[in-house]
């Protein structure tokens, strides 16, 4: 008869559910990195665009 702890360790080593959870976590992390990068790149372009629009509106409203 095996000790309970040895049986428990064998059960843990044969359990593959944790590997699936880790894979899903890695995929979610990768998606988060892609989203953060995209938002950072688009955000910089949007700030520049709104700056140009603001300058154009201010110049159009100024008396000649």
């Amino acid at each position: 008869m095996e000790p309970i702890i040895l049986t428990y360790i064998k059960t843990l080593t044969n359990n593959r559910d944790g590997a699936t959870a880790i894979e899903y976590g890695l995929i979610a992390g990768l998606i988060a990195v892609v989203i953060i990068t995209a938002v950072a790149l688009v955000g910089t372009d949007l700030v520049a665009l709104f700056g140009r629009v603001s300058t154009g509106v201010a110049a159009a409203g100024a008396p000649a």
Side-chain angles (χ1 to χ4, degrees), residues 31-49:
I31 291 171
V33 168
V34 169
I35 290 172
I36 290 169
T37 303
V39 167
L41 292 174
V42 171
T44 304
D45 291 341
L46 282 177
V47 168
L49 174 65

Side-chain angles (χ1 to χ4, degrees), residues 4-54:
I4 294 175
I5 190 73
L6 188 57
T7 305
Y8 180 70
I9 291 173
K10 284 182 181 180
T11 303
L12 286 178
T13 57
N14 290 331
N15 187 350
R16 300 293 178 209
D17 292 337
T20 303
I22 290 172
E23 289 168 0
Y24 283 132
L26 290 172
I27 291 169
L30 180 62
I31 291 171
V33 168
V34 169
I35 290 172
I36 290 169
T37 303
V39 167
L41 292 174
V42 171
T44 304
D45 291 341
L46 282 177
V47 168
L49 174 65
F50 281 119
R52 289 193 307 267
V53 169
S54 175

